[in-house]
Amino acid sequence: MQNCIFPVVTEAVLSITRTFTKSKISVVHCFYFRGGAELLFDGVKKHQVTLPCQPEPWDIRNLLKWIKHNLLKERPELFMQGESVRPGILVLINEADWELMGELDYKLQDQDNVLFISTLHGG
């Protein structure tokens, strides 16, 4: 059976495409890294990725694990602390502070915008 791809409206910071394969949905997301955080990701500010299908919806906790293992290129201690982002990394979901959205437990939704901004700067 061939995959059917149906484009969904794209946002400035996140684009979504639903791919239906054997009753499972995978979603293409764009994640942005700014304020120096992009240096930990080979200097790439925008990453368009397809998260693998899983039985439960993706939450930020699982997303961060996936980012650490699949996108992060160097110095993970500058981006993550334990299972969360390091203090000084601002996470915005749909232009709102992730603390207002449930932080690690927030379930990713279609058309969510996720932005990571480092507020940590050397002198």
Side-chain angles (χ1 to χ4, degrees), residues 37-51:
E38 68 274 9
L39 299 175
L40 304 174
F41 297 87
D42 273 349
V44 179
K45 292 182 178 185
K46 176 184 175 184
H47 293 264
Q48 185 169 347
V49 299
T50 302
L51 296 173

Side-chain angles (χ1 to χ4, degrees), residues 21-66:
T21 309
K22 296 181 183 176
S23 303
K24 293 185 178 180
I25 300 174
S26 60
V27 182
V28 178
H29 293 274
C30 288
F31 301 108
Y32 285 76
F33 301 90
R34 299 281 200 264
E38 68 274 9
L39 299 175
L40 304 174
F41 297 87
D42 273 349
V44 179
K45 292 182 178 185
K46 176 184 175 184
H47 293 264
Q48 185 169 347
V49 299
T50 302
L51 296 173
C53 295
Q54 60 181 29
E56 297 296 319
W58 278 88
D59 59 19
I60 297 294
R61 177 179 285 105
N62 288 325
L63 173 65
L64 289 173
K65 289 177 192 174
W66 188 90

Side-chain angles (χ1 to χ4, degrees), residues 75-92:
R75 312 256 336 247
E77 70 277 5
L78 294 180
F79 184 71
M80 296 198 59
Q81 183 174 331
E83 65 178 11
S84 188
V85 293
R86 178 182 170 152
I89 303 288
L90 177 63
V91 181
L92 299 177

